[in-house]
Amino acid sequence: MIEEGLVCHICGGPIDTTLDRRDPMSFTADHVTPLALGGHLVCNELRPAHMRCNARRGDNTDTEIWEAS
């Protein structure tokens, strides 16, 4: 069930906001500038992402698009 119509900015796949937060495909907010590279927790622009995609991206500033599976 996908209620919000959110799309992962990393892989382009739909995000199901009803998934348990521990599910790898659950919603997470990705910081435009990673916190590890000086991004701000409150002032930084956020983008929707799957938890798995966000974790794979890590603190890279370049967004590489790959297909969710």
Side-chain angles (χ1 to χ4, degrees):
M1 178 178 198
I2 299 170
E3 293 185 350
E4 302 294 327
L6 294 175
V7 175
C8 176
H9 82 96
I10 299 171
C11 75
I15 300 173
D16 183 345
T17 58
T18 64
L19 292 174
D20 183 276
R21 66 178 180 82
R22 295 168 292 196
D23 189 294
M25 298 305 282
S26 66
F27 168 80
T28 185
D30 181 42
H31 293 84
V32 173
T33 302
L35 297 176
L37 298 178
H40 297 280
L41 187 59
V42 177
C43 299
N44 201 7
E45 186 178 337
L46 300 173
R47 297 176 285 191
H50 294 116
M51 183 172 62
R52 179 185 73 180
C53 297
N54 197 357
R56 286 177 63 185
R57 179 174 173 263
D59 64 2
N60 293 317
T61 55
D62 293 330
T63 301
E64 181 179 326
I65 305 297
W66 63 82
E67 185 174 331
S69 56

